[in-house]
């Protein structure tokens, strides 16, 4: 573990003097972490509505984005100054990845080889791209699940139906960490089990995989069910908008966008260098006879991961269920780098070969850093501004796909007051409470009219006017909530309510977890009974002797 921890520390060393790499998703994650922490202070333990998104109009970000990364980020923000949080998050994710790789590699390799594979996986080339150019923290965290996935697939025949529990936990962990990674985990689970089942002539492995996928989704149902059901309430189609579609992101793809082309070239060069190294490593491994079960399985996984990054697989991306929601074909480097780390440890025992391969990959990273696209950096002052914008309720830019259906976030008035009266006559507005999931205000008017809120109208918001349930309307274009009011004193209460889909998802997760606990408890009792019977038999034999 010391080697893994030191390797992870070495990866984030530039953070100490250059600041935090501000990649594509940096502001999204940091704003999410800061908002979650602010909602914890309001007593909201599991947020659903990102109140400060779109400069205070809000969005259902925490319904649709898996919770593990933003919960961990907020927890670190509660313990550390914000300028240290991104580095701490990355360090934890890399240590977890290294530890899971060690658990896998130690089953098949020597101690030294397992440590090398773990350290390399914790600092693999794609991770460096994720950390320094993408800031895709949730995807980085999901990478720690892949070695465990392969480990329990390879042990499935030995474990029997007991393999379903760890595999289902891995699938659930993927769904709760990163949705594109979860799609890749499910496809990888199917691929690996089919391959291993054919080699071992054991069809029951396929049933284990199907059960694990179903149970894993059920364990994560408290997130999966609302995220799936409430898609019709938002502009979810924007997740596959121009520039983030699979067709726009195959290796060496260009389009009329200079920034897109520059980054695609960067990741394509890294991918091409890794593929060349993989071919050489595969040749070295195949020269050794016989090739192990681990080796053949890695080759199958790496071939499929590699092929999916090229344009000729567009048919699969368009027609295989949910595969298009991986969005970026080069995301399969997440799986390929697991094979890269293990194959380098397995193909050659010579440290010179390993060292040269690592040096070449590091040289490629340095080259694209210098010649293609240097990383962007945020300083302590940049993070302070982000934190201050949430404290003073100025808010931050939101995410297009989480905007309520029909709303255009680019037409909103960023300077609008929280409540505006639209009607004739005099009005008096007094805001009593304006928290993330609860708003209370008074309006005293002498003519009928409408209260227009600095808030996107989302179906989960329930509205009461003078204690009676009221149905708000949605303003065209901006999507703001509009509440019709009658003359007189009006007390308005808004609550972000628990919808039926959230309740159903929570019950599914709770029941599934309970059944798994019962199954595991009974199996453990059976094992203890068998062990006890064996011990008693042994004692009886000794007594007779």
């Amino acid at each position: 573990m010391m080697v893994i921890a030191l390797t992870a520390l070495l990866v984030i060393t530039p953070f100490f003097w250059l600041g935090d790499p501000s990649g594509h998703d940096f502001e999204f994650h940091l704003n999410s972490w800061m908002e979650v922490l602010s909602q914890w202070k309001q007593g909201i333990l599991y947020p659903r509505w990102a109140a400060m998104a779109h400069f205070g109009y809000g969005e259902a970000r925490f319904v649709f984005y898996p919770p593990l990364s933003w919960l961990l980020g907020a927890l670190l923000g509660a313990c550390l100054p914000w300028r240290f949080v991104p580095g701490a998050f990355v360090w934890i994710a890399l240590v977890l990845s290294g530890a899971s790789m060690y658990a896998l590699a130690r089953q098949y390799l020597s101690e030294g080889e397992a440590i090398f594979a773990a350290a390399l996986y914790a600092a693999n080339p794609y991770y460096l791209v994720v950390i320094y150019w993408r800031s895709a923290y949730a995807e980085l965290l999901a990478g720690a699940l892949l070695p465990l996935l392969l480990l329990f697939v390879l042990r499935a025949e030995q474990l029997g139906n007991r393999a379903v529990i760890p595999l289902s936990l891995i699938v659930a962990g993927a769904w709760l960490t990163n949705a594109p990674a979860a799609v890749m985990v499910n496809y990888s689970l199917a691929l690996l089990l089919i391959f291993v089942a054919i080699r071992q002539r054991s069809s029951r492995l396929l049933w284990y995989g199907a059960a694990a996928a179903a149970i894993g989704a059920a364990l994560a149902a408290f997130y999966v069910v609302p995220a799936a059901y409430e898609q019709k309430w938002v502009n979810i189609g924007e997740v596959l908008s121009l520039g983030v579609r699979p067709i726009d992101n195959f290796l060496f793809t260009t389009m009329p966008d200079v920034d897109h082309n520059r980054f695609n070239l960067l990741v394509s060069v890294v991918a091409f260098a890794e593929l060349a190294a993989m071919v050489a490593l595969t040749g070295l491994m195949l020269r050794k006879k016989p090739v192990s079960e681990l080796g053949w399985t890695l080759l199958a996984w790496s071939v499929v991961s590699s092929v999916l990054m090229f344009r000729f697989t567009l048919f699969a991306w368009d027609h295989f269920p949910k595969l298009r929601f991986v969005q970026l074909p080069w995301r399969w480097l997440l799986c390929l780098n697991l094979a890269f780390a293990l194959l380098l440890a397995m193909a050659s025992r010579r440290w010179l070969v390993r060292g040269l391969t690592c040096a070449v990959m590091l040289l490629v990273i340095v080259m694209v850093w210098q010649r293609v696209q240097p990383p962007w950096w945020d300083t302590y002052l940049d993070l302070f501004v982000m934190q201050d914008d949430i404290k003073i309720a100025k808010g931050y830019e939101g995410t297009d796909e989480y905007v309520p259906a029909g709303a255009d976030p680019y037409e909103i008035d960023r300077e609008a007051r929280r409540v505006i009266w639209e009607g004739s006559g005099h009005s008096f507005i007094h805001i009593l409470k304006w928290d993330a999931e609860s708003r209370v205000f008074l309006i005293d008017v002498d003519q009928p009219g409408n209260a227009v809120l600095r808030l996107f109208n989302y179906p989960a918001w329930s509205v009461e006017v003078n204690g009676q349930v009221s149905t708000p309307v949605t303003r065209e274009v901006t999507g703001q909530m509009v509440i019709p009011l009658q003359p007189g004193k009006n007390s308005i209460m808004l609550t972000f309510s628990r919808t039926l889909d959230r309740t159903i998802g929570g019950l599914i997760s709770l029941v599934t977890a309970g059944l798994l606990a019962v199954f595991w408890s009974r199996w453990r009792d059976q094992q203890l009974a068998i062990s006890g019977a064996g011990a008693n038999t042994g004692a009886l034999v000794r007594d007779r002797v």
Side-chain angles (χ1 to χ4, degrees), residues 397-409:
E397 188 173 357
T399 311
D400 290 348
E401 60 261 32
Y402 303 150
V403 173
D408 186 348

Side-chain angles (χ1 to χ4, degrees), residues 10-69:
L10 184 63
V11 169
I12 66 169
T13 298
F15 288 37
F16 293 109
W17 70 84
L18 294 175
D20 295 307
S22 182
H24 301 153
D25 297 342
F26 183 78
E27 291 187 359
F28 173 88
H29 286 291
L30 264 292
N31 283 323
S32 297
W33 301 348
M34 292 176 179
E35 170 124 12
V36 170
L37 182 57
S38 71
Q39 292 197 29
W40 284 353
K41 294 177 181 178
Q42 297 174 23
I44 304 170
L45 299 181
Y46 189 89
R48 295 284 185 169
W49 183 257
M52 291 294 102
H54 300 288
F55 307 99
Y57 287 78
E59 67 180 23
R61 170 177 303 197
F62 303 123
V63 171
F64 298 100
Y65 203 84
L68 290 186
S69 67

Side-chain angles (χ1 to χ4, degrees), residues 84-149:
F84 298 136
V85 171
F89 188 105
V90 169
W91 185 85
I92 290 172
L94 297 185
V95 169
L96 290 175
S97 286
S100 64
M101 173 57 85
Y102 179 80
L104 166 64
R106 192 65 188 91
Q107 299 296 316
Y108 304 93
L109 306 176
S110 68
E111 176 78 11
E113 291 170 336
I115 292 174
F116 171 77
L120 178 57
Y121 185 61
N124 72 69
Y126 182 60
Y127 272 9
L128 298 181
V129 172
V130 169
I131 293 166
Y132 283 97
W133 284 274
R134 297 191 58 223
S135 299
Y137 296 119
E139 185 177 330
L140 184 70
L141 193 61
L145 297 170
L146 297 178
L148 299 179
L149 176 69

Side-chain angles (χ1 to χ4, degrees), residues 228-279:
Y229 180 80
E230 296 184 24
Q231 284 184 12
K232 60 186 178 182
W233 295 348
V234 296
N235 295 325
I236 199 64
E238 292 296 320
V239 77
L240 292 172
S241 61
L242 183 67
V244 288
R245 304 172 301 176
I247 195 172
D248 301 326
N249 291 282
F250 291 110
L251 296 186
F252 297 105
T253 297
T254 59
M255 58 183 298
D257 186 328
V258 175
D259 292 333
H260 171 277
N261 295 342
R262 187 178 292 116
F263 179 76
N264 186 274
L265 176 61
L266 182 151
V267 74
S268 297
V269 170
V270 173
F272 184 79
E274 282 200 73
L275 290 174
M278 291 286 289
V279 171

Side-chain angles (χ1 to χ4, degrees), residues 220-341:
F222 71 91
Y223 155 72
V224 173
V225 171
Y229 180 80
E230 296 184 24
Q231 284 184 12
K232 60 186 178 182
W233 295 348
V234 296
N235 295 325
I236 199 64
E238 292 296 320
V239 77
L240 292 172
S241 61
L242 183 67
V244 288
R245 304 172 301 176
I247 195 172
D248 301 326
N249 291 282
F250 291 110
L251 296 186
F252 297 105
T253 297
T254 59
M255 58 183 298
D257 186 328
V258 175
D259 292 333
H260 171 277
N261 295 342
R262 187 178 292 116
F263 179 76
N264 186 274
L265 176 61
L266 182 151
V267 74
S268 297
V269 170
V270 173
F272 184 79
E274 282 200 73
L275 290 174
M278 291 286 289
V279 171
L281 294 172
T282 300
L284 288 175
M285 187 183 70
L286 292 178
R287 290 173 60 185
K288 299 180 177 181
K289 302 293 183 180
V291 178
S292 66
E293 184 76 17
L294 173 63
W296 286 120
T297 307
L298 286 174
L299 289 181
W301 199 6
S302 59
V303 167
V304 173
S305 299
S306 302
V307 166
L308 285 170
M309 291 188 280
F310 290 93
R311 190 182 183 88
F312 64 82
T313 61
L314 180 60
F315 179 85
W317 287 92
D318 286 342
H319 293 89
F320 284 19
K322 304 299 181 182
L323 182 59
R324 64 186 181 277
F325 287 104
V326 176
Q327 298 175 296
L328 314 169
W330 39 257
R331 264 187 171 134
W332 281 96
L333 284 167
L334 195 68
C335 300
L336 187 68
N337 274 267
L338 180 148
F340 173 70

Side-chain angles (χ1 to χ4, degrees), residues 356-436:
L356 285 175
T357 304
C358 293
V360 169
M361 295 310 305
L362 182 58
L363 183 62
V364 170
I365 294 294
V366 172
M367 183 192 71
V368 296
W369 184 313
Q370 295 294 325
R371 299 299 182 91
V372 181
Q373 175 64 71
W376 309 270
W377 300 93
D378 271 5
T379 65
Y380 166 70
L381 291 178
D382 296 316
L383 297 185
F384 177 80
V385 170
M386 294 171 65
Q387 185 181 9
D388 194 53
D389 286 344
I390 290 179
K391 283 184 177 180
I392 65 175
K394 179 180 178 180
Y396 52 86
E397 188 173 357
T399 311
D400 290 348
E401 60 261 32
Y402 303 150
V403 173
D408 186 348
Y410 301 100
E411 295 296 327
I412 60 176
D413 179 6
R414 298 184 183 183
E415 305 301 324
R417 298 191 301 273
R418 288 175 170 173
V419 182
I420 298 175
W421 173 250
E422 287 190 346
S424 57
H426 297 287
S427 64
F428 172 77
I429 301 173
H430 180 53
I431 296 176
L432 300 176
K433 182 181 182 182
W434 199 268
D435 289 344

Side-chain angles (χ1 to χ4, degrees), residues 442-454:
L442 306 174
I443 298 184
D444 190 354
V445 294
D446 52 16
Q447 297 291 333
N450 295 320
V452 182
L453 277 58
R454 184 188 175 104

